[in-house]
């Protein structure tokens, strides 16, 4: 067993959610995708540090708390717990759940501020402009419009209010050239390309200095040396990624090991903050930039945006209850190409559960394992000489680890799963063609070979399914007699299933979805 120190580090994060409400399926989508990536890398021998959490300061939190008649700290505590519970219910393998009210984060935010200030990038001025509390973002006048007597951001449709106050500014305008140079030098810095292009166009239009403090409320981290001001919530929020790695102690082991982050996984509405502001702050602070910002799309309910007023917001736990956790994880990552906007409906979920999981995988496993139980003494049969069909199928399965690595390296989860399920389609065709149930009477040795090949493909499929469906894949690996530990990592991918391995009595892993009786 290699020690962690010998492994290549891999630091991955989600956005940190505003705990001004309870989590919905969009939040679940982001953590599930990031969790699949983290699990894939762990299985592939990396020393993974995976962080998620909650973004607890700012005006939006304050306003929601005031509406509810509680303190922002109480609101943050209540809903941050709800987010953490969601993570636990979804089997998210996070290493740290960070809260921006954590003491070490407070220090970290003040330290990045001081570094930016020491670099001459922060000055005191007066802010007047349009602020959206919902987005915690400023908009230029031309990016707003008045409809029904309310001025709104054209981009996000949220209400903006005229704000005038003394404020510290970050010299974002000075970073335009350096940012454009970064985008040219590192075409992988943000993905997918269409969303990266939007970021590049935005920077090309020119950047204004950014107001980074507020004086009208105090729910935030005080500005060092002037506690009339609290920091703009996005300076505070983005810095969570550094805090997790041990900043401000840049000489600490965790920092040297995990910074810069490998991937920040975020949604499309916050690409500007991550691909423009964040690298500019880090350049100013003299810190390395993250390697990649992966921007996913948003999920829509039957084609309609989720919103509280429409009452179509789905709670993640409802799906876990209705469909099962692994089924839900599979659906989310298989159905929608990561990066695109996605749609979900009961029919689409049931379709995937029945076709991909119950039929293509569950049924194949059940049929082959029951035949082994009945006809091979409950142990993996020994293969004879391979036919061209056996060799072709085993070669195709053997190549899937590389295909998956390649797809995961770009967070193309649906592509990785599509490749595995195409292979399952071929394996089902192979099983039907070879007719092991006929061979049982005519050529028992050949039946053994066909079952062996099928079990070996299932073993490789189960290994690759683990990041997406940890519990079901583990059940399948149990059924295939694979011990926990090394045999379940990708290092074991090319070590075929051992003839003679005793198998437990098979039990169905992916039942068909039945509509509940009224
Ligand atoms: O933006 N589908 O927090 P947040 C998919 N605190 N993803 C969705 C979604 C949907 N329908 N709705 C939201 C914030 N998300 C900030 C982040 S990071 C330093 C600070 C995603 O709670 C959204 O795109 O509004 C974001 O990535 C995440 O959920 C948290 O959103």
């Amino acid at each position: 067993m290699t020690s962690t120190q010998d492994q290549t580090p891999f630091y991955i994060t989600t956005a940190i959610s505003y705990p001004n409400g309870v989590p919905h399926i969009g939040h679940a989508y982001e953590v599930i995708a990031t969790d699949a990536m983290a699990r894939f890398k762990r299985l592939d021998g990396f020393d993974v540090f995976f962080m998620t959490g909650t973004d607890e300061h700012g005006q939006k939190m304050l306003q929601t708390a005031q509406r509810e008649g509680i303190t922002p700290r109480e609101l943050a505590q209540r809903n941050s717990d709800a987010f953490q519970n969601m993570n636990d219910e979804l089997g998210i393998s996070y290493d740290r759940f960070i809260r921006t009210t954590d003491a070490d984060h407070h220090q970290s935010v003040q330290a990045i501020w001081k570094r930016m200030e020491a670099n001459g990038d922060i000055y005191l001025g007066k802010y007047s402009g349009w602020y959206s509390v919902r987005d915690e973002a400023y908009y230029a006048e031309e990016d707003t419009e008045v409809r029904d007597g309310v001025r709104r951001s054209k981009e996000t449709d949220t209400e903006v209010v005229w704000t005038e106050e003394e404020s510290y500014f970050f010299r974002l305008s000075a970073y335009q050239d350096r940012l454009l140079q970064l985008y040219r030098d590192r075409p992988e810095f943000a993905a997918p390309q269409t969303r990266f292009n939007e970021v590049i166009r935005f920077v090309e239009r020119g950047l204004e200095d950014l107001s980074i403090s507020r004086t009208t409320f105090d729910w935030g981290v005080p500005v060092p040396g002037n506690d009339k001001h609290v920091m703009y919530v996005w300076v505070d929020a983005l810095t969570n990624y550094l805090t997790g790695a041990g900043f401000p102690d840049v000489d600490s082991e965790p920092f040297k090991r995990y910074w810069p982050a490998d991937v920040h996984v975020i949604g499309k509405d916050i690409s500007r903050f991550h691909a423009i502001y964040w690298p500019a702050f880090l350049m100013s602070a003299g810190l390395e930039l993250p390697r990649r910002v992966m921007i996913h799309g948003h999920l829509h309910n039957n084609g309609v945006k989720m919103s509280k007023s429409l009452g179509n917001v789905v709670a993640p736990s409802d799906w876990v209850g209705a469909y099962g956790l692994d089924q839900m994880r599979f659906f989310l990552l298989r159905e929608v190409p990561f990066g695109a906007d996605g749609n979900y409906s009961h029919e689409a979920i049931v379709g995937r559960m029945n076709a991909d999981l119950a039929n293509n995988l569950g049924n194949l496993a059940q049929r082959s394992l029951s035949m082994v139980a009945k006809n091979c003494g409950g142990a993996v049969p020994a293969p004879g000489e391979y036919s061209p069909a056996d060799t072709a199928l085993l070669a195709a399965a053997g190549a899937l680890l590389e295909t998956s690595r390649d797809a995961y390296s770009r967070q193309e989860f649906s592509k990785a799963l599509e490749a595995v399920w195409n292979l399952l389609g071929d394996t089902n065709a192979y099983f039907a063609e070879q007719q092991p149930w006929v061979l049982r009477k005519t050529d028992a040795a050949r039946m053994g070979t066909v079952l062996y090949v099928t079990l070996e493909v299932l073993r490789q499929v189960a290994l690759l399914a683990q990041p997406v469906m940890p519990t079901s894949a583990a059940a399948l690996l149990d059924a295939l007699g694979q011990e926990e530990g090394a045999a379940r990592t990708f290092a074991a991918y090319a070590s075929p299933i051992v003839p003679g391995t005793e198998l437990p009595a098979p039990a169905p892993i992916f039942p068909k979805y039945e509509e509940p009786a009224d």
Side-chain angles (χ1 to χ4, degrees), residues 356-367 424 508-511:
D356 292 0
L357 297 181
N359 277 348
N360 277 337
L361 179 52
N363 203 18
L364 181 69
Q366 187 60 19
R367 287 174 75 193
L424 278 171
I509 297 172
F510 293 109

Side-chain angles (χ1 to χ4, degrees), residues 85-121:
N85 291 341
M86 169 191 75
N87 277 285
D88 295 336
E89 188 177 6
L90 297 176
I92 305 302
S93 62
Y94 59 87
D95 297 295
R96 174 166 176 186
F97 187 91
I98 192 168
R99 301 181 52 185
T100 52
T101 48
D102 287 344
D104 61 341
H105 179 65
H106 194 98
Q107 276 191 3
S108 165
V109 184
Q110 293 208 325
I112 194 173
W113 179 285
K114 286 184 194 153
R115 279 173 169 255
M116 298 193 294
E117 193 170 41
N119 199 39
D121 284 326

Side-chain angles (χ1 to χ4, degrees), residues 15-18 24 26-27 30 55 234 241 267 269 296 298-299:
I16 48 172
S17 306
Y18 292 123
H24 57 61
H27 296 117
E30 184 171 297
D55 179 3
W234 273 101
Y241 304 130
D269 53 326
H296 63 75
H298 275 191
L299 289 181

Side-chain angles (χ1 to χ4, degrees), residues 348-414:
I349 302 172
V350 170
R352 288 278 174 206
M353 281 176 70
N354 287 347
D356 292 0
L357 297 181
N359 277 348
N360 277 337
L361 179 52
N363 203 18
L364 181 69
Q366 187 60 19
R367 287 174 75 193
S368 52
L369 286 165
S370 320
M371 282 199 71
V372 170
K374 281 196 205 104
N375 307 299
C376 310
V380 175
E385 210 173 305
Y386 287 143
S387 73
D390 304 338
T391 312
L393 188 63
L394 289 171
L400 273 184
L401 175 58
E402 262 325 302
T403 310
S404 301
R405 277 193 182 123
D406 187 53
Y408 271 84
S409 74
R410 291 187 300 276
Q411 294 78 48
E412 292 176 346
F413 308 110
S414 65

Side-chain angles (χ1 to χ4, degrees), residues 188-511:
E188 301 278 296
F189 178 71
Q193 193 62 46
T194 46
R195 302 211 196 275
F196 193 10
N197 289 342
E198 288 166 12
V199 165
I200 298 171
R201 294 293 95 76
F202 187 86
V203 176
E204 283 172 345
R205 274 172 47 192
L207 294 171
E208 287 179 12
D209 288 351
L210 184 68
S211 164
I212 52 165
S213 74
R214 305 295 302 272
T215 54
T216 48
F217 59 91
D218 64 359
W219 179 237
V221 179
V223 166
N226 187 352
D227 54 17
K228 260 191 7 217
H229 290 249
V230 291
M231 287 185 213
Y232 174 41
V233 66
W234 273 101
V235 175
D236 171 350
L238 288 162
T239 306
N240 91 86
Y241 304 130
L242 284 174
T243 310
F247 186 77
D249 187 353
V250 293
D251 297 320
S252 65
E253 277 309 311
F255 195 80
K256 285 193 286 188
R257 193 161 178 72
Y258 296 114
W259 193 259
D262 290 274
V263 191
H264 292 318
V265 177
I266 57 152
K268 63 175 184 177
D269 53 326
I270 55 175
S271 59
R272 189 179 305 167
F273 302 94
H274 284 80
I276 303 175
Y277 299 177
W278 184 224
F281 294 165
L282 289 167
M283 286 177 193
S284 172
L287 297 165
E288 279 189 81
L289 311 186
R291 298 205 168 86
R292 183 173 170 86
V293 176
M294 180 64 206
I295 308 162
H296 63 75
H298 275 191
L299 289 181
H300 296 160
N301 187 337
N302 263 316
V304 181
K305 202 173 160 162
M306 258 184 288
S307 87
K308 274 189 196 155
S309 50
L310 290 175
N312 65 353
V313 180
V314 176
S317 52
D318 290 349
W319 272 21
V320 176
Y323 308 115
L325 173 56
D326 280 357
Q327 286 80 350
M328 157 184 179
R329 291 175 56 113
F330 176 80
F331 170 78
L332 288 172
L333 297 184
R334 173 65 190 90
E335 183 78 0
V336 186
F338 203 60
D341 282 337
N343 208 4
Y344 58 84
S345 63
H346 174 70
E347 292 69 31
I349 302 172
V350 170
R352 288 278 174 206
M353 281 176 70
N354 287 347
D356 292 0
L357 297 181
N359 277 348
N360 277 337
L361 179 52
N363 203 18
L364 181 69
Q366 187 60 19
R367 287 174 75 193
S368 52
L369 286 165
S370 320
M371 282 199 71
V372 170
K374 281 196 205 104
N375 307 299
C376 310
V380 175
E385 210 173 305
Y386 287 143
S387 73
D390 304 338
T391 312
L393 188 63
L394 289 171
L400 273 184
L401 175 58
E402 262 325 302
T403 310
S404 301
R405 277 193 182 123
D406 187 53
Y408 271 84
S409 74
R410 291 187 300 276
Q411 294 78 48
E412 292 176 346
F413 308 110
S414 65
K415 269 200 189 157
L417 291 171
E418 185 181 17
V420 173
W421 259 260
N422 282 342
L423 179 91
L424 278 171
D426 294 346
T427 313
N428 275 294
Y430 164 89
F431 201 78
E433 239 161 59
Q434 301 293 327
Q435 301 186 308
W437 56 93
V438 175
L439 292 171
R440 185 167 63 90
K441 294 182 205 119
T442 57
D443 186 348
R446 177 66 199 150
M447 173 199 72
T449 306
V450 170
L451 290 173
Y452 179 85
V453 169
T454 307
L455 297 189
E456 172 56 5
V457 172
L458 284 170
R459 183 189 69 88
Q460 292 183 320
V461 165
L463 287 177
L464 292 176
Q466 294 175 98
V468 176
M469 298 187 286
T471 309
S472 318
L476 186 50
L477 288 165
D478 284 341
L480 292 164
Q482 303 302 296
E483 297 206 346
E484 283 179 30
R488 297 190 180 194
T489 69
F490 294 159
Y493 195 79
S495 311
I497 192 164
V498 179
T501 306
E502 299 277 344
L503 303 183
I509 297 172
F510 293 109

